[in-house]
Amino acid sequence: MNTKYEGFETPGITVDLSIFTVNETRLKVMLVRRAEVPFQGYWSLPGGFLKTSESLDAAAQRVLCEKSGVSDVYMEQLYTFGDPKRDPRSRVITVAYIALIPWQSLPQPASEKVTDLTWASVDALPKLAFDHREILSYAVKRLRAKVSYSNIVYGLMPKQFRLSELQSMYETIIDDKLDKRNFRKQMLATGLLKETGKKELAGAHRPAMLYQFKSKEIVFFN
Amino acid sequence: MNTKYEGFETPGITVDLSIFTVNETRLKVMLVRRAEVPFQGYWSLPGGFLKTSESLDAAAQRVLCEKSGVSDVYMEQLYTFGDPKRDPRSRVITVAYIALIPWQSLPQPASEKVTDLTWASVDALPKLAFDHREILSYAVKRLRAKVSYSNIVYGLMPKQFRLSELQSMYETIIDDKLDKRNFRKQMLATGLLKETGKKELAGAHRPAMLYQFKSKEIVFFN
DNA sequence: CCAAAAGTGTTATTGATACACCCATGC
DNA sequence: GCATGGGTGTATCAATAACACTTTTGG
């Protein structure tokens, strides 16, 4: 038996990531296909075992980079799931994380044949391995809540953007429509945005002013 | 070496609890004195190793009951701390919890000689073992924040109470004064309280109506 | 000149804040 | 009758919500 102290357990520790992005006005999450038992062939959240002398944050960062190819994005610890039966093989406790990646920052997949990684709309999920469905709904809940009292959408926007793109980002995540004038007023009132001076000229319409965030800091409102 | 898979670690898992109560208009947290190395003789948060086939919540519940003698109180998972160096002996990851106990629910200590357990004011803490100071400041931060957007103070109130006691509870936790009339208006407007009909007669003043919560549910505002 | 998205202010409503006096009781 | 905490209402201010038309461009 795999114990360190009499009667106490030393379970395996993993990190599992809910990596979100928004594309085509859909909130999407990264799923990877499991190559091994248990749940072979099922989709699951990307994750991995904690390595020796690696902090939890570092492990999450490593998994993020391995799977997405990006680093330096918004990430936070979500919750720790430790039900004794959540892994049918042996006791595994997982520390769940949330990460946000702007769609534009994602490297395009090298080939069309990548079938072991996908971005699934959170409202059209396949069956998931382990308790990953539960983890993911918790992650979505946290994300939706946090959007409304912080500027966490930072993590999903490209460097420069139109205010209408920012509004669309909010609308996609909270799944509701917002008033254009009130939205702009409020956003500019936060003082967190600055004009870049550049104007986007693409499209048969009046060009839009491009904005960017003054800093990467996440701020809480209320 | 204590590994389960090549290169992966199976650290010890503990739960550590920040158990809060309020007494004499001070927010207090339970500390226990460590009998063993490391940090022998230091004060620390109550905690313990996860047992085989025990869920994280169950472990936290067990520790709570062992140390405080109460169960069925408000408890929530806080955060997981996994720095590789946080325990000088070996790798230990701790899942931190918050618990709230009404002062009136606490069994009085059997003898005056109990010197291995204390309730310390959170603004006058001794040196703590491990990273418990960090855990505790995180817990206090969470508690203070949550008080202002939920009815989490439920967890600290006795069955029946005066509105002025409820106000005092809020003021103690957020460390600020509130307006009496506005406070009462808002509290009653939530619809979460009901009069008990009873009046408290103690004291040389007009007796106060006693209230209680309609349900134990925790509700979020905003 | 038509389509398409950008940009812009005012009013109404709601919620939050500030504030002072009388009441019921015990001693 | 005085000290103590209990109990009550209104006016102001700030924030939020509702709402429609003009502008600039490409085709």
Side-chain angles (χ1 to χ4, degrees):
Chain A
M1 197 178 164
N2 182 23
T3 53
K4 192 181 227 164
Y5 303 96
E6 204 58 50
F8 298 113
E9 204 173 14
T10 57
I13 307 285
T14 58
V15 293
D16 283 316
L17 275 64
S18 297
I19 307 173
F20 292 107
T21 194
V22 168
N23 178 237
E24 294 167 332
T25 68
R26 284 286 192 298
L27 179 61
K28 296 183 175 178
V29 64
M30 183 193 284
L31 299 178
V32 296
R33 203 185 283 279
R34 283 187 60 81
E36 290 154 29
V37 291
F39 295 102
Q40 187 169 26
Y42 277 64
W43 292 104
S44 71
L45 296 175
F49 280 90
L50 182 67
K51 288 187 174 173
T52 306
S53 301
E54 186 183 44
S55 74
L56 294 166
D57 286 3
Q61 206 67 57
R62 171 174 57 79
V63 170
L64 173 74
C65 200
E66 282 169 10
K67 303 294 179 184
S68 74
V70 306
S71 52
D72 191 32
V73 297
Y74 180 78
M75 187 153 79
E76 69 174 49
Q77 195 191 101
L78 175 66
Y79 198 80
T80 299
F81 296 82
D83 189 89
K85 297 263 182 286
R86 59 176 296 281
D87 188 319
R89 291 167 300 181
S90 65
R91 186 89 197 258
V92 177
I93 286 166
T94 195
V95 183
Y97 278 80
I98 287 178
L100 304 179
I101 309 183
W103 178 256
Q104 296 83 353
S105 303
L106 284 170
Q108 291 311 308
S111 100
E112 288 293 322
K113 295 185 65 187
V114 175
T115 57
D116 59 347
L117 189 152
T118 191
W119 291 94
S121 284
V122 297
D123 43 35
L125 292 170
K127 278 245 181 276
L128 297 182
F130 305 107
D131 54 355
H132 286 187
R133 170 69 68 127
E134 185 194 349
I135 295 174
L136 188 47
S137 11
Y138 196 82
V140 171
K141 210 173 120 202
R142 166 88 63 97
L143 176 61
R144 292 215 159 109
K146 215 147 184 172
V147 159
S148 58
Y149 65 84
S150 78
N151 59 355
I152 198 180
V153 288
Y154 276 33
L156 293 165
M157 299 301 293
K159 271 246 162 55
Q160 302 194 338
F161 48 85
R162 293 170 283 142
L163 287 182
S164 61
E165 290 176 300
L166 185 60
Q167 182 175 347
S168 165
M169 182 63 66
Y170 273 90
E171 290 177 336
T172 298
I173 296 171
I174 65 176
D175 196 24
D176 204 356
K177 287 280 165 204
L178 297 172
D179 179 84
K180 182 160 66 158
R181 280 174 290 189
N182 292 335
F183 178 82
R184 287 167 175 248
K185 230 181 304 173
Q186 287 165 21
M187 280 298 133
L188 296 174
T190 62
L192 300 169
L193 292 172
K194 68 176 175 202
E195 299 187 356
T196 64
K198 298 178 194 165
K199 298 206 173 200
E200 189 187 54
L201 294 167
H205 54 81
R206 179 172 173 177
M209 175 65 68
L210 292 176
Y211 289 82
Q212 62 184 43
F213 295 110
K214 287 181 183 170
S215 99
K216 286 192 171 184
E217 258 185 298
I218 300 296
V219 180
F220 297 90
F221 310 130
N222 290 340
Chain B
M1 196 179 162
N2 182 22
T3 53
K4 191 181 226 165
Y5 304 94
E6 204 59 49
F8 298 113
E9 206 173 11
T10 58
I13 306 286
T14 58
V15 293
D16 283 317
L17 275 65
S18 298
I19 307 173
F20 293 106
T21 194
V22 168
N23 178 238
E24 295 169 332
T25 68
R26 283 286 193 296
L27 179 60
K28 296 184 176 176
V29 64
M30 183 192 285
L31 299 178
V32 296
R33 202 186 284 279
R34 285 185 59 79
E36 291 155 29
V37 291
F39 294 102
Q40 187 168 26
Y42 278 63
W43 292 103
S44 71
L45 297 174
F49 279 90
L50 183 68
K51 287 188 175 172
T52 306
S53 302
E54 186 183 44
S55 74
L56 295 166
D57 285 2
Q61 206 67 55
R62 172 174 56 80
V63 170
L64 173 74
C65 200
E66 282 170 9
K67 303 294 179 183
S68 74
V70 306
S71 52
D72 190 33
V73 297
Y74 180 78
M75 189 154 77
E76 69 173 49
Q77 195 190 103
L78 175 66
Y79 198 80
T80 299
F81 296 82
D83 189 271
K85 297 262 181 288
R86 59 175 295 283
D87 189 319
R89 290 167 301 181
S90 65
R91 187 88 196 258
V92 176
I93 286 165
T94 195
V95 182
Y97 278 80
I98 287 178
L100 304 180
I101 308 183
W103 178 257
Q104 295 83 352
S105 303
L106 285 170
Q108 292 310 309
S111 100
E112 288 292 323
K113 294 186 66 188
V114 176
T115 56
D116 59 347
L117 189 151
T118 191
W119 292 93
S121 284
V122 297
D123 43 36
L125 292 170
K127 279 244 180 278
L128 298 181
F130 305 107
D131 54 356
H132 287 187
R133 169 70 70 127
E134 186 195 349
I135 295 174
L136 187 47
S137 21
Y138 198 82
V140 171
K141 210 174 121 202
R142 166 88 64 98
L143 176 62
R144 293 213 158 110
K146 214 147 184 172
V147 160
S148 59
Y149 65 83
S150 78
N151 59 355
I152 199 180
V153 289
Y154 276 30
L156 292 165
M157 300 300 293
K159 271 245 163 55
Q160 302 194 340
F161 48 85
R162 294 169 283 141
L163 287 182
S164 60
E165 290 175 300
L166 186 60
Q167 182 176 347
S168 166
M169 182 63 66
Y170 273 90
E171 291 177 336
T172 299
I173 296 171
I174 65 176
D175 196 24
D176 205 356
K177 288 278 164 205
L178 297 170
D179 179 85
K180 182 162 65 159
R181 278 175 290 190
N182 292 335
F183 178 81
R184 288 166 174 248
K185 227 181 306 171
Q186 289 162 22
M187 280 299 133
L188 295 174
T190 63
L192 300 169
L193 292 172
K194 67 175 177 204
E195 298 187 358
T196 65
K198 298 179 195 163
K199 297 205 175 199
E200 189 185 55
L201 293 169
H205 54 81
R206 178 173 173 177
M209 174 65 68
L210 292 176
Y211 289 82
Q212 62 184 43
F213 295 110
K214 286 182 182 168
S215 99
K216 286 192 171 183
E217 257 184 299
I218 299 297
V219 180
F220 296 89
F221 309 131
N222 290 341

